Amino acid sequence: MGTTPTSNKPKSSSLPPLYAAWVEELLGGAPPEETRATCSDCAMVRREGDHDDRQIFFNPRTKCCTFSPTLPNFLAGRILRDGSPEMAEGRASVERRLAKMLGVTPLGIGQTATYALWYNHVAAGFGRSETLLCPHYVGDPGRCAIWPHRNSVCSTFFCKHDRGAAGFHFWREALENLLKSIEWALSRWCVLELGVGGTALERLLELGDDCKTIAEGELEGTVKSTTYRALWDRWIGQERQFFEECAAKVDGLRWTDVAQICGPQVRLLARMTQDVYAKLGHTAPEPALRCGSFKLVSMRSDVVCLSTYCDYDPIEIPARLLGVLQHFGGQPTSEAVAAIAARENVTLDSDLVRKLTDFGLLVPAEKCNDSLT
């Protein structure tokens, strides 16, 4: 999320190695690259000559790293076990979170309720607020210290997508939900495999994911010792070893193992992710299209800037092109294209029609009909 390794030309959409192996086995290929989400040279930071035009820009001192990630136990363990010099800052950042004990349970290292309260109630804070800065962010030169072991949210977030809404649907609505579900299930599987004691299991089952209640002492940055000890039971004082053993449990798993361990929910999400991935390979125009919805961001001379699927990724098109989209009324796409050529003297090739569809300026006619029933 928001940062990349220091190599000259990182693959913007490359997943962490653990997840990449599972996803590529599931999909039968690598997920799409997102070349426009240039994290090492942040695409969301204002550049000289950029117009305000109500567009959104990020703070160059934070980029999109205004999010504290939940690290499931096995990811925390992978970071702590990674002895490479490149991971020194990452290990230290996890060790600091461990030492504070806030949000630290056998399931992993989570957001505190205090942080969640800030994050969920500062509408304009994402990408801007230094108070929300990720604990694993290294400010100079602005990179992620745990990049090879980042979690589901950070692995699937891109401010801009090469295929617009189609890419967003794959990464954020399909793959992110799949990886989140895997993290949830595997972290609990690790707890059962290693054993934390019956009392601790009861306490873990009582934990919620909504962070609505701020525990005693949390505002002051402390944890009630009796509560913390009850969560860890026989592993108290050995939290680091516990996380490292969780990592060892997960390291050798293939995708088939993950699917079997995690159960029907993950297998359902995996099937949906496969279906969405397959659709990304279909580049022919939809058989029938209608004009989609959008917000006008700005208008300059003969160019309009429109927001469709995400305000972070507006699209600029000629004003004249916007005017002809009204001809798409649900009839066969070939007929609409022919009518535009005859009446407006504008030629739309299949690549342009696909781009307009990817960014939601055109939508499948059947999708419109479904929304009306």
Side-chain angles (χ1 to χ4, degrees), residues 313-326:
D313 193 14
I315 181 173
E316 289 189 345
I317 64 171
R320 188 181 180 194
L321 177 58
L322 178 61
V324 305
L325 297 185
Q326 61 182 316

Side-chain angles (χ1 to χ4, degrees), residues 207-283:
L207 292 178
D209 297 325
D210 52 14
C211 295
K212 289 181 179 178
T213 303
I214 297 177
E216 179 182 346
E218 187 177 313
L219 286 175
E220 289 73 39
T222 62
V223 176
K224 193 174 181 180
S225 60
T226 54
T227 302
Y228 187 78
R229 294 183 69 86
L231 283 170
W232 281 94
D233 197 71
R234 70 183 186 88
W235 285 95
I236 190 71
Q238 303 176 75
E239 296 91 334
R240 178 175 184 143
Q241 180 186 345
F242 181 86
F243 288 154
E244 290 179 354
E245 292 196 23
C246 290
K249 287 282 184 184
V250 170
D251 274 355
L253 299 179
R254 300 279 306 262
W255 165 250
T256 51
D257 302 317
V258 172
Q260 181 62 36
I261 290 167
C262 294
Q265 174 74 9
V266 161
R267 293 197 289 273
L268 283 170
L269 290 170
R271 179 67 61 84
M272 185 185 81
T273 302
Q274 287 175 314
D275 291 345
V276 175
Y277 180 71
K279 289 177 182 176
L280 284 175
H282 301 161
T283 57

Side-chain angles (χ1 to χ4, degrees), residues 48-355:
E48 185 177 352
D50 280 344
H51 299 276
D52 282 342
D53 290 335
R54 296 189 296 241
Q55 291 190 46
I56 297 171
F57 296 100
F58 288 168
N59 181 344
R61 292 187 295 276
T62 66
K63 300 191 272 188
C64 68
C65 295
T66 50
F67 175 78
S68 181
T70 293
L71 298 177
N73 48 29
F74 60 90
L75 283 189
R78 283 176 66 84
I79 296 166
L80 294 168
R81 291 174 66 210
D82 190 333
S84 64
E86 296 80 10
M87 281 300 299
E89 290 170 307
R91 290 192 303 275
S93 67
V94 172
E95 288 165 353
R96 286 192 294 270
R97 292 182 77 179
L98 269 177
K100 290 180 180 178
M101 299 188 293
L102 291 167
V104 178
T105 78
L107 295 174
I109 306 176
Q111 285 186 356
T112 66
T114 305
Y115 183 93
L117 182 66
W118 291 338
Y119 185 86
N120 293 327
H121 290 82
V122 182
F126 186 79
R128 301 170 185 78
S129 172
E130 295 181 40
T131 299
L132 298 177
L133 195 62
C134 173
H136 309 293
Y137 183 76
V138 181
D140 187 11
R143 60 181 180 82
C144 174
I146 61 168
W147 179 263
H149 310 291
R150 62 201 187 279
N151 78 348
S152 55
V153 175
C154 300
S155 298
T156 56
F157 175 84
F158 299 96
C159 57
K160 302 179 188 297
H161 293 274
D162 288 15
R163 294 282 304 276
F168 180 93
H169 184 40
F170 170 76
W171 285 104
R172 298 289 303 282
E173 295 175 342
L175 190 57
E176 180 184 326
N177 286 329
L178 172 61
L179 293 178
K180 274 184 176 179
S181 189
I182 290 171
E183 289 173 346
W184 188 94
L186 283 185
S187 62
R188 283 152 179 80
W189 174 75
C190 286
V191 166
L192 289 173
E193 287 287 297
L194 294 178
V196 295
T199 303
L201 285 176
E202 290 178 18
R203 294 286 185 132
L204 288 173
L205 286 171
E206 293 171 0
L207 292 178
D209 297 325
D210 52 14
C211 295
K212 289 181 179 178
T213 303
I214 297 177
E216 179 182 346
E218 187 177 313
L219 286 175
E220 289 73 39
T222 62
V223 176
K224 193 174 181 180
S225 60
T226 54
T227 302
Y228 187 78
R229 294 183 69 86
L231 283 170
W232 281 94
D233 197 71
R234 70 183 186 88
W235 285 95
I236 190 71
Q238 303 176 75
E239 296 91 334
R240 178 175 184 143
Q241 180 186 345
F242 181 86
F243 288 154
E244 290 179 354
E245 292 196 23
C246 290
K249 287 282 184 184
V250 170
D251 274 355
L253 299 179
R254 300 279 306 262
W255 165 250
T256 51
D257 302 317
V258 172
Q260 181 62 36
I261 290 167
C262 294
Q265 174 74 9
V266 161
R267 293 197 289 273
L268 283 170
L269 290 170
R271 179 67 61 84
M272 185 185 81
T273 302
Q274 287 175 314
D275 291 345
V276 175
Y277 180 71
K279 289 177 182 176
L280 284 175
H282 301 161
T283 57
E286 297 288 339
L289 293 163
R290 293 181 183 273
C291 186
S293 60
F294 56 85
K295 293 188 295 184
L296 177 65
V297 177
S298 66
M299 180 180 294
R300 297 191 306 274
S301 60
D302 58 349
V303 175
V304 293
C305 182
L306 308 171
S307 175
T308 56
Y309 78 98
C310 176
D311 288 342
Y312 296 154
D313 193 14
I315 181 173
E316 289 189 345
I317 64 171
R320 188 181 180 194
L321 177 58
L322 178 61
V324 305
L325 297 185
Q326 61 182 316
H327 291 287
F328 287 92
Q331 74 275 48
T333 299
S334 57
E335 292 182 13
V337 170
I340 290 169
R343 299 173 190 174
E344 306 287 349
N345 196 28
V346 174
T347 301
L348 303 181
D349 62 26
S350 59
D351 288 341
L352 179 54
V353 173
R354 168 50 58 189
K355 183 174 182 179

